[in-house]
Amino acid sequence: MLYTISGCTGVGKTSLIRKVLAEIPDTHLLRSYTTRAPRDNDLPGEYTHLSDKEWRNALMQSVFAWHVHVRDMMYGTRREDVRAALDSTRLFLACIAPEKVPDIYSLAQAFGLKLQVRSIYILSPDRRVLFERLTKDRGMT
């Protein structure tokens, strides 16, 4: 089973995933790929960091189930990783941009595994709370 976790920046996706991974045995994080530098708050195994050249090569080979461009950085998840999660008896969590969740459902449907996907969208808190989270997380306070 694959659960997608989505919401805007700063809503608590990583915090939720961290809690579920700690509390529910045999739960795994679906690895994503990015061109951005590692961050201190990245979860272990959350990302494989690629150079721009490696990213372009992966795009040319159509390896990604989804990918997005966010503030000069690229993020995505490989098709084969999604397929492995859908085929597994384990629970997988994936942090995905909200607009890319339909791509996961389409891929799962193509594999005949659409019922293996569930999605959680985290609503944004009050603007003031969100601003405080974002400035604190980025060391701007």
Side-chain angles (χ1 to χ4, degrees):
M1 178 70 64
L2 173 61
Y3 277 85
T4 67
I5 313 295
S6 61
C8 77
T9 300
V11 299
K13 298 181 297 290
T14 301
S15 296
L16 173 64
I17 290 171
R18 186 174 277 119
K19 183 77 169 165
V20 171
L21 290 171
E23 299 287 329
I24 301 176
D26 210 25
T27 300
H28 301 274
L29 187 60
L30 183 64
R31 182 180 303 272
S32 288
Y33 294 76
T34 185
T35 59
R36 76 159 169 75
R39 293 180 186 155
D40 291 340
N41 66 339
D42 286 347
L43 296 167
E46 183 175 10
Y47 293 107
T48 293
H49 299 273
L50 303 176
S51 68
D52 288 337
K53 181 179 179 179
E54 291 170 319
W55 184 270
R56 284 190 303 276
N57 288 339
L59 276 181
M60 288 174 33
Q61 295 171 20
S62 299
V63 300
F64 294 115
W66 66 272
H67 65 279
V68 294
H69 184 206
V70 179
R71 292 186 298 276
D72 296 327
M73 295 169 282
M74 300 300 295
Y75 297 85
T77 301
R78 295 184 324 165
R79 290 179 194 282
E80 68 183 58
D81 293 343
V82 173
R83 178 62 189 253
L86 294 172
D87 283 338
S88 178
T89 58
R90 297 174 173 174
L91 174 63
F92 279 83
L93 305 175
C95 190
I96 295 178
E99 67 273 15
K100 296 301 179 177
V101 171
D103 293 349
I104 297 300
Y105 277 95
S106 294
L107 185 59
Q109 185 170 1
F111 293 149
L113 297 167
K114 187 174 181 180
L115 295 178
Q116 291 295 103
V117 181
R118 299 286 183 268
S119 295
I120 298 169
Y121 180 82
I122 303 174
L123 293 175
S124 297
D126 175 83
R127 285 182 180 183
R128 184 182 69 249
V129 172
L130 191 57
F131 178 78
E132 288 172 10
R133 287 181 187 174
L134 291 172
T135 54
K136 177 183 172 199
D137 287 348
R138 308 277 189 295
M140 299 169 75
T141 57

